[in-house]
Coordinates of all heavy atoms in Angstrom, one line a residue:
M1 N -10.4 5.2 -4.6 CA -9.3 4.3 -4.3 C -9.9 3.2 -3.4 O -10.8 3.5 -2.5 CB -8.3 5.1 -3.5 CG -7.1 4.1 -3.1 SD -6.0 4.7 -1.9 CE -4.9 5.8 -2.9
T2 N -9.5 2.0 -3.7 CA -10.1 0.9 -2.7 C -9.0 0.6 -1.7 O -7.9 1.2 -1.6 CB -10.2 -0.4 -3.6 OG1 -8.9 -0.9 -4.0 CG2 -11.1 -0.1 -4.9
D3 N -9.4 -0.3 -0.8 CA -8.5 -0.6 0.3 C -7.6 -1.9 -0.1 O -6.8 -2.3 0.8 CB -9.3 -1.1 1.6 CG -10.1 0.1 2.2 OD1 -9.6 1.3 2.0 OD2 -11.2 -0.1 2.8
E4 N -7.7 -2.3 -1.3 CA -6.9 -3.4 -1.8 C -5.4 -3.0 -2.0 O -5.1 -2.0 -2.6 CB -7.4 -3.9 -3.1 CG -6.8 -5.3 -3.4 CD -7.4 -5.8 -4.6 OE1 -8.4 -5.2 -5.1 OE2 -6.9 -6.8 -5.2
I5 N -4.5 -3.7 -1.3 CA -3.1 -3.4 -1.3 C -2.4 -3.9 -2.6 O -2.8 -5.0 -3.1 CB -2.4 -4.0 -0.1 CG1 -2.9 -3.4 1.2 CG2 -0.9 -3.8 -0.2 CD1 -2.3 -4.0 2.4
S6 N -1.5 -3.1 -3.2 CA -0.9 -3.5 -4.3 C 0.1 -4.7 -4.0 O 0.8 -4.6 -3.0 CB 0.0 -2.3 -5.0 OG -0.8 -1.3 -5.2
R7 N 0.2 -5.7 -4.9 CA 1.1 -6.7 -4.6 C 1.6 -7.3 -5.9 O 0.8 -7.5 -6.8 CB 0.3 -7.9 -3.8 CG 1.2 -8.9 -3.3 CD 0.3 -9.9 -2.5 NE -0.3 -9.1 -1.4 CZ -0.3 -9.4 -0.1 NH1 0.3 -10.4 0.2 NH2 -0.9 -8.6 0.8
L8 N 2.9 -7.6 -5.9 CA 3.4 -8.2 -7.1 C 4.0 -9.5 -6.7 O 4.9 -9.6 -5.9 CB 4.6 -7.4 -7.7 CG 5.3 -7.9 -8.9 CD1 4.4 -7.6 -10.1 CD2 6.7 -7.3 -9.1
I9 N 3.4 -10.7 -7.3 CA 3.9 -12.0 -6.9 C 5.0 -12.2 -8.0 O 4.8 -12.2 -9.2 CB 2.8 -13.0 -7.2 CG1 1.6 -12.8 -6.2 CG2 3.4 -14.5 -6.9 CD1 1.9 -12.7 -4.7
V10 N 6.2 -12.4 -7.5 CA 7.4 -12.4 -8.4 C 7.6 -13.7 -9.1 O 7.5 -14.8 -8.6 CB 8.6 -12.1 -7.6 CG1 9.9 -12.2 -8.4 CG2 8.5 -10.7 -6.8
E11 N 7.8 -13.5 -10.5 CA 8.0 -14.7 -11.3 C 9.5 -14.7 -11.7 O 10.1 -15.8 -11.8 CB 7.2 -14.6 -12.6 CG 7.5 -15.8 -13.5 CD 6.5 -15.7 -14.7 OE1 5.2 -15.8 -14.5 OE2 7.0 -15.5 -15.9
R12 N 10.2 -13.6 -11.9 CA 11.6 -13.5 -12.4 C 12.2 -12.2 -11.8 O 11.5 -11.2 -11.8 CB 11.6 -13.5 -13.9 CG 12.9 -13.7 -14.5 CD 12.8 -13.8 -16.0 NE 12.7 -12.4 -16.5 CZ 11.9 -11.9 -17.4 NH1 11.0 -12.8 -17.8 NH2 12.0 -10.8 -17.8
V13 N 13.5 -12.3 -11.5 CA 14.3 -11.1 -11.2 C 15.5 -11.1 -12.0 O 16.2 -12.0 -12.2 CB 14.7 -11.2 -9.7 CG1 15.6 -10.0 -9.3 CG2 13.5 -11.3 -8.8
D14 N 15.8 -9.9 -12.6 CA 16.9 -9.7 -13.5 C 17.8 -8.5 -13.0 O 17.2 -7.7 -12.4 CB 16.5 -9.5 -15.0 CG 15.8 -10.6 -15.6 OD1 16.3 -11.7 -15.7 OD2 14.5 -10.5 -15.8
V15 N 19.0 -8.6 -13.2 CA 20.0 -7.5 -13.0 C 20.8 -7.2 -14.3 O 21.0 -8.1 -15.0 CB 20.8 -7.7 -11.8 CG1 20.0 -7.9 -10.5 CG2 21.7 -8.9 -12.0
L16 N 21.2 -6.0 -14.4 CA 22.1 -5.4 -15.4 C 23.4 -5.0 -14.8 O 23.4 -4.2 -13.9 CB 21.5 -4.4 -16.3 CG 20.3 -4.7 -17.0 CD1 19.7 -3.4 -17.6 CD2 20.4 -5.8 -18.0
P17 N 24.6 -5.5 -15.3 CA 25.9 -5.0 -14.8 C 26.0 -3.5 -14.8 O 26.6 -2.8 -14.0 CB 26.9 -5.7 -15.6 CG 26.2 -6.9 -16.2 CD 24.7 -6.5 -16.3
S18 N 25.3 -2.9 -15.8 CA 25.4 -1.4 -16.1 C 24.6 -0.6 -15.1 O 24.7 0.6 -15.0 CB 25.1 -1.0 -17.5 OG 23.7 -1.4 -17.8
R19 N 23.7 -1.3 -14.4 CA 22.8 -0.7 -13.4 C 22.9 -1.3 -12.0 O 22.0 -1.8 -11.5 CB 21.4 -0.8 -13.9 CG 21.0 -0.1 -15.1 CD 20.9 1.5 -14.8 NE 20.5 2.2 -15.9 CZ 20.5 3.5 -16.1 NH1 20.9 4.2 -15.0 NH2 20.0 4.0 -17.1
A20 N 24.1 -1.2 -11.5 CA 24.4 -1.8 -10.2 C 23.4 -1.2 -9.2 O 23.2 0.0 -9.2 CB 25.8 -1.5 -9.8
G21 N 23.0 -2.0 -8.2 CA 22.0 -1.5 -7.3 C 20.6 -1.5 -7.7 O 19.7 -1.0 -7.0
W22 N 20.3 -1.9 -8.9 CA 18.9 -1.9 -9.4 C 18.6 -3.3 -9.7 O 19.4 -4.1 -10.1 CB 18.7 -1.1 -10.7 CG 18.7 0.4 -10.5 CD1 19.1 1.1 -9.4 CD2 18.0 1.3 -11.5 NE1 18.9 2.4 -9.7 CE2 18.3 2.6 -10.9 CE3 17.5 1.2 -12.7 CZ2 17.8 3.7 -11.6 CZ3 16.9 2.3 -13.4 CH2 17.2 3.6 -12.8
M23 N 17.2 -3.7 -9.5 CA 16.8 -5.0 -9.9 C 15.4 -4.8 -10.7 O 14.7 -4.0 -10.4 CB 16.6 -6.0 -8.8 CG 15.7 -5.7 -7.7 SD 15.9 -6.8 -6.4 CE 14.4 -6.4 -5.5
F24 N 15.4 -5.7 -11.7 CA 14.2 -5.7 -12.6 C 13.3 -6.9 -12.2 O 13.7 -8.0 -12.4 CB 14.6 -5.8 -14.0 CG 15.4 -4.6 -14.5 CD1 16.7 -4.5 -14.1 CD2 14.9 -3.7 -15.3 CE1 17.5 -3.4 -14.5 CE2 15.6 -2.6 -15.7 CZ 16.9 -2.5 -15.3
V25 N 12.1 -6.6 -11.6 CA 11.3 -7.7 -11.0 C 10.0 -7.8 -11.8 O 9.3 -6.9 -12.0 CB 11.0 -7.3 -9.5 CG1 10.2 -8.4 -8.9 CG2 12.2 -7.0 -8.8
T26 N 9.8 -9.0 -12.4 CA 8.6 -9.3 -13.2 C 7.7 -10.2 -12.5 O 8.2 -11.3 -11.9 CB 9.2 -9.9 -14.6 OG1 10.1 -9.0 -15.2 CG2 8.0 -10.2 -15.5
G27 N 6.4 -10.0 -12.6 CA 5.5 -10.9 -12.0 C 4.1 -10.4 -12.3 O 3.9 -9.6 -13.2
V28 N 3.1 -11.0 -11.5 CA 1.8 -10.6 -11.6 C 1.4 -9.5 -10.6 O 1.5 -9.8 -9.4 CB 0.8 -11.9 -11.5 CG1 -0.6 -11.5 -11.6 CG2 1.2 -12.8 -12.6
L29 N 0.9 -8.3 -11.1 CA 0.5 -7.2 -10.1 C -1.0 -7.2 -9.9 O -1.8 -7.4 -10.9 CB 0.9 -6.0 -10.8 CG 0.7 -4.6 -10.0 CD1 1.5 -4.6 -8.7 CD2 0.9 -3.5 -10.8
S30 N -1.3 -7.2 -8.6 CA -2.8 -7.2 -8.3 C -2.9 -6.0 -7.3 O -2.1 -5.5 -6.7 CB -3.2 -8.5 -7.6 OG -2.6 -8.7 -6.5
G31 N -4.3 -5.6 -7.1 CA -4.6 -4.5 -6.2 C -4.5 -3.2 -6.9 O -4.6 -3.0 -8.1
E32 N -4.3 -2.1 -6.1 CA -4.2 -0.8 -6.6 C -2.9 -0.6 -7.5 O -1.9 -1.3 -7.3 CB -3.9 0.2 -5.5 CG -5.2 0.4 -4.6 CD -6.2 1.2 -5.3 OE1 -5.9 2.2 -5.9 OE2 -7.4 0.8 -5.3
P33 N -3.0 0.3 -8.5 CA -1.9 0.5 -9.4 C -0.7 1.0 -8.6 O -0.9 1.7 -7.6 CB -2.4 1.6 -10.4 CG -3.8 1.5 -10.2 CD -4.2 1.0 -8.9
V34 N 0.5 0.8 -9.0 CA 1.7 1.4 -8.4 C 2.3 2.4 -9.4 O 1.9 2.5 -10.6 CB 2.8 0.3 -8.1 CG1 2.4 -0.7 -7.1 CG2 3.2 -0.4 -9.4
N35 N 3.0 3.4 -8.8 CA 3.6 4.4 -9.6 C 5.1 4.6 -9.4 O 5.5 4.2 -8.4 CB 3.0 5.7 -9.1 CG 1.5 5.8 -9.3 OD1 1.0 5.7 -10.5 ND2 0.7 5.8 -8.2
I36 N 5.7 5.2 -10.4 CA 7.2 5.5 -10.1 C 7.3 6.4 -8.9 O 6.5 7.3 -8.7 CB 7.8 6.2 -11.4 CG1 7.7 5.1 -12.6 CG2 9.1 6.6 -11.1 CD1 8.0 5.8 -13.9
G37 N 8.2 6.1 -8.0 CA 8.5 6.8 -6.8 C 7.8 6.2 -5.6 O 8.1 6.6 -4.4
D38 N 6.9 5.2 -5.8 CA 6.3 4.6 -4.7 C 7.3 3.8 -3.9 O 8.2 3.2 -4.4 CB 5.2 3.5 -5.1 CG 3.9 4.2 -5.5 OD1 3.7 5.4 -5.3 OD2 3.0 3.4 -6.0
R39 N 7.1 3.8 -2.6 CA 8.0 3.0 -1.7 C 7.3 1.6 -1.5 O 6.1 1.6 -1.3 CB 8.2 3.6 -0.3 CG 8.8 5.1 -0.5 CD 10.2 5.1 -0.6 NE 10.9 4.7 0.7 CZ 12.1 4.3 0.7 NH1 13.0 4.3 -0.3 NH2 12.7 3.9 1.9
V40 N 8.0 0.5 -1.6 CA 7.4 -0.7 -1.5 C 8.3 -1.7 -0.6 O 9.5 -1.4 -0.3 CB 7.4 -1.4 -2.9 CG1 6.4 -0.8 -3.8 CG2 8.8 -1.6 -3.5
F41 N 7.5 -2.6 0.0 CA 8.2 -3.6 0.9 C 8.5 -4.7 0.0 O 7.8 -5.2 -0.9 CB 7.2 -4.1 1.9 CG 6.8 -3.2 3.0 CD1 5.6 -2.6 3.2 CD2 7.7 -2.8 4.0 CE1 5.3 -1.7 4.1 CE2 7.5 -1.9 4.9 CZ 6.2 -1.4 5.1
I42 N 9.7 -5.2 0.2 CA 10.2 -6.4 -0.5 C 10.2 -7.5 0.6 O 10.9 -7.4 1.5 CB 11.6 -6.3 -1.1 CG1 11.7 -5.2 -2.1 CG2 12.2 -7.6 -1.7 CD1 13.1 -4.8 -2.5
R43 N 9.3 -8.5 0.4 CA 9.0 -9.5 1.4 C 9.6 -10.9 1.1 O 9.5 -11.2 -0.1 CB 7.6 -9.6 1.7 CG 6.9 -8.4 2.3 CD 5.6 -8.8 2.9 NE 5.0 -7.5 3.4 CZ 5.2 -7.0 4.7 NH1 6.1 -7.6 5.4 NH2 4.7 -5.9 5.0
N44 N 10.2 -11.4 2.1 CA 10.6 -12.9 1.9 C 10.3 -13.5 3.3 O 11.0 -13.3 4.3 CB 12.1 -13.0 1.6 CG 12.6 -14.4 1.4 OD1 11.7 -15.3 1.2 ND2 13.8 -14.8 1.6
G45 N 9.2 -14.2 3.4 CA 8.8 -14.8 4.7 C 8.4 -13.7 5.7 O 7.7 -12.8 5.3
E46 N 9.1 -13.6 6.8 CA 8.8 -12.6 7.8 C 9.7 -11.4 7.6 O 9.5 -10.3 8.3 CB 9.0 -13.2 9.2 CG 8.0 -14.3 9.5 CD 6.5 -13.7 9.4 OE1 6.2 -12.6 10.0 OE2 5.5 -14.4 8.9
Q47 N 10.7 -11.4 6.8 CA 11.6 -10.3 6.5 C 11.1 -9.4 5.6 O 10.5 -9.7 4.5 CB 13.0 -10.8 6.1 CG 13.7 -11.6 7.1 CD 15.0 -12.2 6.6 OE1 15.2 -12.3 5.4 NE2 15.9 -12.3 7.6
A48 N 11.3 -8.1 5.7 CA 10.9 -7.1 4.7 C 11.9 -5.9 4.7 O 12.6 -5.5 5.7 CB 9.6 -6.4 5.2
T49 N 12.3 -5.5 3.4 CA 13.1 -4.4 3.1 C 12.4 -3.3 2.3 O 11.5 -3.7 1.6 CB 14.3 -5.0 2.3 OG1 15.0 -5.9 3.0 CG2 15.3 -3.8 2.1
V50 N 12.6 -2.1 2.4 CA 11.9 -1.1 1.7 C 12.8 -0.6 0.5 O 14.0 -0.5 0.7 CB 11.6 0.1 2.6 CG1 10.9 1.2 1.8 CG2 10.7 -0.3 3.7
A51 N 12.2 -0.4 -0.7 CA 12.8 0.1 -1.9 C 11.9 1.1 -2.5 O 10.8 1.1 -2.2 CB 13.3 -1.0 -2.8
T52 N 12.5 1.8 -3.6 CA 11.6 2.7 -4.3 C 11.5 2.3 -5.8 O 12.5 1.8 -6.4 CB 12.4 4.1 -4.4 OG1 12.4 4.5 -3.0 CG2 11.5 5.1 -5.1
I53 N 10.3 2.4 -6.3 CA 10.1 2.0 -7.7 C 10.7 3.1 -8.6 O 10.4 4.2 -8.5 CB 8.6 1.8 -8.0 CG1 8.0 0.7 -7.2 CG2 8.5 1.6 -9.5 CD1 6.5 0.4 -7.5
K54 N 11.6 2.7 -9.6 CA 12.3 3.6 -10.4 C 11.6 3.6 -11.9 O 11.8 4.6 -12.6 CB 13.8 3.3 -10.6 CG 14.6 3.4 -9.3 CD 14.6 4.8 -8.8 CE 15.5 5.0 -7.7 NZ 15.5 6.4 -7.3
S55 N 11.0 2.5 -12.2 CA 10.4 2.5 -13.5 C 9.4 1.3 -13.5 O 9.4 0.4 -12.7 CB 11.5 2.1 -14.6 OG 10.9 2.0 -15.9
I56 N 8.4 1.4 -14.4 CA 7.4 0.3 -14.6 C 7.2 0.0 -16.1 O 7.1 1.0 -16.9 CB 6.0 0.8 -14.0 CG1 6.2 1.2 -12.5 CG2 5.0 -0.2 -14.2 CD1 4.9 1.9 -12.0
E57 N 7.1 -1.3 -16.4 CA 6.8 -1.7 -17.7 C 5.8 -2.8 -17.7 O 5.8 -3.7 -17.0 CB 8.2 -2.3 -18.3 CG 8.0 -2.9 -19.7 CD 9.2 -3.6 -20.2 OE1 10.3 -3.3 -19.7 OE2 9.1 -4.5 -21.0
L58 N 4.7 -2.5 -18.6 CA 3.6 -3.4 -18.8 C 4.0 -4.3 -20.0 O 4.5 -3.7 -21.0 CB 2.3 -2.7 -19.0 CG 1.9 -1.7 -17.9 CD1 0.6 -0.9 -18.3 CD2 1.7 -2.4 -16.6
H59 N 3.7 -5.5 -19.9 CA 4.0 -6.5 -20.9 C 2.8 -6.8 -21.8 O 1.7 -6.6 -21.4 CB 4.5 -7.8 -20.3 CG 5.8 -7.6 -19.6 ND1 7.0 -8.0 -20.1 CD2 6.1 -7.2 -18.4 CE1 7.9 -7.7 -19.3 NE2 7.4 -7.2 -18.2
S60 N 3.2 -7.2 -23.1 CA 2.0 -7.7 -23.9 C 1.4 -8.9 -23.5 O 0.2 -9.2 -23.7 CB 2.6 -7.8 -25.4 OG 3.5 -8.7 -25.4
R61 N 2.2 -9.7 -22.7 CA 1.6 -11.0 -22.1 C 0.6 -10.5 -20.9 O 1.0 -9.7 -20.0 CB 2.7 -11.8 -21.5 CG 2.2 -13.1 -20.9 CD 3.5 -13.9 -20.5 NE 3.0 -14.8 -19.4 CZ 3.9 -15.4 -18.6 NH1 5.2 -15.2 -18.7 NH2 3.5 -16.1 -17.7
P62 N -0.6 -10.8 -21.1 CA -1.6 -10.2 -20.1 C -1.2 -10.5 -18.6 O -0.7 -11.7 -18.3 CB -2.9 -11.1 -20.4 CG -2.7 -11.5 -21.8 CD -1.2 -11.7 -22.0
G63 N -1.4 -9.5 -17.8 CA -1.1 -9.7 -16.4 C 0.2 -9.6 -16.0 O 0.6 -9.5 -14.8
M64 N 1.3 -9.4 -16.9 CA 2.7 -9.4 -16.4 C 3.2 -7.9 -16.3 O 2.9 -7.1 -17.3 CB 3.5 -10.2 -17.4 CG 3.3 -11.6 -17.4 SD 3.4 -12.4 -15.8 CE 5.1 -12.4 -15.6
T65 N 3.9 -7.7 -15.4 CA 4.4 -6.3 -15.2 C 5.9 -6.4 -14.7 O 6.2 -7.3 -13.9 CB 3.6 -5.5 -14.0 OG1 2.3 -5.5 -14.4 CG2 4.2 -4.2 -13.7
T66 N 6.8 -5.5 -15.0 CA 8.1 -5.5 -14.6 C 8.3 -4.1 -13.8 O 7.9 -3.0 -14.4 CB 9.1 -5.6 -15.7 OG1 9.1 -6.8 -16.2 CG2 10.6 -5.4 -15.2
I67 N 8.8 -4.1 -12.7 CA 9.1 -2.9 -11.9 C 10.6 -2.9 -11.7 O 11.2 -4.0 -11.5 CB 8.3 -2.7 -10.7 CG1 8.6 -3.8 -9.7 CG2 6.8 -2.5 -10.9 CD1 7.9 -3.6 -8.3
V68 N 11.2 -1.8 -11.8 CA 12.6 -1.6 -11.5 C 12.7 -1.0 -10.1 O 12.2 0.1 -9.8 CB 13.3 -0.6 -12.5 CG1 14.7 -0.6 -12.2 CG2 13.1 -1.3 -13.9
L69 N 13.5 -1.6 -9.2 CA 13.7 -1.1 -7.9 C 15.1 -0.8 -7.6 O 16.1 -1.2 -8.1 CB 13.3 -2.2 -6.8 CG 11.9 -2.8 -6.9 CD1 11.8 -3.9 -6.0 CD2 10.8 -1.7 -6.6
D70 N 15.3 0.2 -6.7 CA 16.6 0.7 -6.3 C 17.2 -0.2 -5.2 O 17.5 0.2 -4.1 CB 16.6 2.1 -5.8 CG 15.8 2.3 -4.5 OD1 15.0 1.5 -4.1 OD2 16.0 3.4 -3.9
A71 N 17.4 -1.5 -5.5 CA 17.8 -2.4 -4.6 C 18.5 -3.6 -5.3 O 18.1 -3.8 -6.5 CB 16.7 -3.0 -3.6
D72 N 19.3 -4.3 -4.8 CA 19.8 -5.5 -5.3 C 19.7 -6.7 -4.4 O 20.7 -7.0 -3.6 CB 21.4 -5.4 -5.7 CG 21.9 -6.5 -6.5 OD1 21.1 -7.5 -6.8 OD2 23.1 -6.6 -6.8
L73 N 18.5 -7.2 -4.3 CA 18.2 -8.2 -3.3 C 17.6 -9.4 -4.0 O 16.7 -10.2 -3.5 CB 17.2 -7.7 -2.3 CG 17.5 -6.3 -1.6 CD1 16.3 -5.8 -0.9 CD2 18.7 -6.7 -0.6
R74 N 18.0 -9.7 -5.2 CA 17.4 -10.8 -6.0 C 17.3 -12.1 -5.3 O 16.5 -12.9 -5.7 CB 18.1 -10.9 -7.3 CG 19.6 -11.3 -7.3 CD 20.2 -11.2 -8.7 NE 21.6 -11.4 -8.6 CZ 22.4 -10.4 -8.4 NH1 21.9 -9.2 -8.3 NH2 23.7 -10.6 -8.4
S75 N 18.2 -12.4 -4.4 CA 18.2 -13.8 -3.7 C 17.1 -13.9 -2.8 O 16.8 -15.0 -2.4 CB 19.4 -14.0 -3.2 OG 19.7 -13.1 -2.1
I76 N 16.4 -12.8 -2.4 CA 15.4 -13.0 -1.3 C 14.0 -12.6 -1.8 O 13.0 -12.7 -1.0 CB 15.8 -12.1 -0.1 CG1 15.7 -10.6 -0.4 CG2 17.0 -12.6 0.6 CD1 15.6 -9.9 0.9
V77 N 13.8 -12.1 -3.0 CA 12.5 -11.5 -3.4 C 11.5 -12.6 -3.7 O 11.8 -13.5 -4.5 CB 12.7 -10.6 -4.6 CG1 11.4 -10.1 -5.2 CG2 13.6 -9.5 -4.3
T78 N 10.3 -12.5 -3.0 CA 9.3 -13.4 -3.4 C 7.9 -12.6 -3.6 O 7.2 -12.9 -4.5 CB 9.0 -14.4 -2.3 OG1 8.8 -13.8 -1.1 CG2 10.2 -15.4 -2.2
V79 N 7.7 -11.5 -2.8 CA 6.5 -10.7 -3.0 C 6.9 -9.3 -2.6 O 7.7 -8.9 -1.8 CB 5.5 -11.1 -1.9 CG1 4.3 -10.1 -2.0 CG2 5.0 -12.6 -2.0
I80 N 6.4 -8.4 -3.5 CA 6.6 -6.9 -3.3 C 5.2 -6.3 -3.1 O 4.2 -6.6 -3.7 CB 7.2 -6.3 -4.6 CG1 8.6 -6.9 -4.7 CG2 7.3 -4.8 -4.4 CD1 9.2 -6.5 -5.9
Q81 N 5.1 -5.4 -2.0 CA 3.9 -4.9 -1.6 C 4.1 -3.3 -1.4 O 5.1 -3.0 -0.7 CB 3.5 -5.5 -0.2 CG 2.1 -5.1 0.2 CD 1.7 -5.9 1.4 OE1 1.9 -7.1 1.4 NE2 1.3 -5.2 2.5
R82 N 3.2 -2.6 -1.9 CA 3.3 -1.1 -1.7 C 3.1 -0.7 -0.3 O 2.4 -1.1 0.5 CB 2.2 -0.4 -2.5 CG 2.4 1.1 -2.5 CD 1.6 1.9 -3.4 NE 0.2 1.8 -2.8 CZ -0.9 2.0 -3.4 NH1 -0.8 2.3 -4.6 NH2 -2.0 2.0 -2.8
Q83 N 4.1 0.2 0.1 CA 4.2 0.7 1.6 C 3.1 1.7 1.7 O 2.8 2.6 0.9 CB 5.5 1.4 1.8 CG 5.7 1.9 3.1 CD 7.1 2.5 3.3 OE1 7.7 2.8 2.3 NE2 7.4 2.8 4.5
E84 N 2.3 1.5 2.7 CA 1.1 2.5 3.0 C 1.6 3.7 3.7 O 2.5 3.8 4.4 CB 0.1 1.7 3.9 CG -0.6 0.7 3.1 CD -1.4 1.1 1.9 OE1 -2.0 2.1 1.9 OE2 -1.2 0.4 0.9

């Protein structure tokens, strides 16, 4: 394991009416791999909220990843970082 922190720079956030309280966050993931069940910080400027990864999807488009979080904070998401 390296000391590099996992970070997802958010490109898009989606929600489904059938999955209230979940958000699907797509972006470029860097650093250590993330896993289902990891606790992550959702950052917007100086504010941070903690959520849990429920699912992970790798895309055929190189470098793109979607993670599903147990949160509905789509209006504030800019960066997601794994909680140490």
Side-chain angles (χ1 to χ4, degrees):
M1 184 193 282
T2 69
D3 292 331
E4 190 174 353
I5 295 173
S6 303
R7 187 176 304 232
L8 181 79
I9 303 301
V10 178
E11 181 176 295
R12 187 177 84 231
V13 178
D14 299 296
V15 295
L16 299 174
S18 62
R19 293 287 185 187
W22 282 22
M23 63 183 189
F24 297 74
V25 184
T26 302
V28 177
L29 183 65
S30 64
E32 288 288 316
V34 292
N35 299 295
I36 294 170
D38 282 357
R39 303 280 290 166
V40 294
F41 290 110
I42 301 169
R43 294 198 182 276
N44 182 21
E46 295 299 315
Q47 295 180 334
T49 302
V50 178
T52 302
I53 297 176
K54 296 296 187 181
S55 180
I56 301 169
E57 177 183 332
L58 302 175
H59 293 260
S60 56
R61 182 174 154 199
M64 297 303 291
T65 303
T66 296
I67 60 174
V68 179
L69 300 174
D70 66 343
D72 186 6
L73 304 166
R74 64 185 167 274
S75 63
I76 69 162
V77 175
T78 57
V79 174
I80 296 174
Q81 183 174 318
R82 189 174 68 201
Q83 184 180 16
E84 294 300 318

